[in-house]
Amino acid sequence: MKDSVILTKEELLQHWLGHRTLTKRTLEKFPEKELFEFSIGGMRPFSELVMELLSIAEPGLRGIVQKDEKPYDHDLGLNSKAALLARWDEDTPKIISLYNQIPEEDFHKEHNLFGEYKFPIYSNLLYFIDNEIHHRAQGYVYLRALGIEPPFFWDRY
């Protein structure tokens, strides 16, 4: 069977970065207090969801590149919207650099992400993106419940 390419490695990265841009815009819309306190139906506040995203994307890529299975740690101690945004911005160039260090031919090799999720690297990368979309959608629900219009979901650039 012949392999066909749906997306190039660069196109996948740009897709992910578009989602990161949109998630950052979602974070920017939150009032400080509600970012850390507001929740619905027992879900975590958006600040905790963002810290989860921060604790898996760059550290997960670093683990893939360094072939390390170190567990994740969601307790980042970021106590303000400014700190979350600063960390988001600090991680983006690291994500780009680490992603670019993964040889394309390795995308189908297995990696035991955080010592818990043994899947091909491409599946781990898709998990990073899927998890971000999932948590951003929770943030959209929170913003709407607070009477704040979230960014257009399709405007990722």
Side-chain angles (χ1 to χ4, degrees):
M1 181 173 157
K2 184 180 177 192
D3 289 337
S4 62
V5 175
I6 304 293
L7 291 172
T8 66
K9 180 181 172 186
E10 179 61 23
E11 288 168 333
L12 179 59
L13 176 60
Q14 291 310 310
H15 179 78
W16 185 11
L17 294 174
H19 281 291
R20 286 185 60 80
T21 297
L22 184 52
T23 301
K24 180 182 175 185
R25 279 197 235 131
T26 305
L27 173 57
E28 290 170 335
K29 290 262 187 175
F30 271 84
E32 183 89 20
K33 181 178 187 292
E34 286 77 6
L35 176 62
F36 288 88
E37 296 178 10
F38 188 78
S39 72
I40 296 173
M43 294 189 299
R44 296 173 286 168
F46 194 60
S47 61
E48 290 183 30
L49 303 177
V50 170
M51 281 189 265
E52 177 184 316
L53 297 174
L54 289 168
S55 70
I56 64 171
E58 189 275 338
L61 277 173
R62 191 171 357 103
I64 290 169
V65 169
Q66 296 175 355
K67 297 176 177 35
D68 183 6
E69 299 178 7
K70 179 180 173 185
Y72 57 83
D73 179 10
H74 296 327
D75 186 17
L76 301 180
L78 301 171
N79 306 2
S80 70
K81 181 176 172 178
L84 288 168
L85 287 166
R87 176 69 179 273
W88 196 266
D89 288 344
E90 290 167 15
D91 280 3
T92 298
K94 293 176 186 176
I95 286 169
I96 294 167
S97 175
L98 288 164
Y99 180 89
N100 285 325
Q101 291 175 53
I102 304 169
E104 193 169 339
E105 58 271 15
D106 287 359
F107 272 43
H108 285 85
K109 291 183 180 177
E110 281 193 345
H111 173 72
N112 193 11
L113 185 68
F114 305 119
E116 293 187 37
Y117 310 104
K118 191 171 187 176
F119 297 104
I121 289 171
Y122 78 86
S123 289
N124 291 321
L125 298 172
L126 292 173
Y127 166 74
F128 299 154
I129 298 167
D130 291 345
N131 193 48
E132 182 171 333
I133 294 167
H134 164 71
H135 286 318
R136 185 176 64 240
Q138 289 173 286
Y140 273 46
V141 170
Y142 289 174
L143 288 172
R144 289 195 184 281
L146 292 166
I148 300 168
E149 182 74 21
F152 294 118
F153 78 92
W154 46 262
D155 189 12
R156 298 189 317 253
Y157 305 98

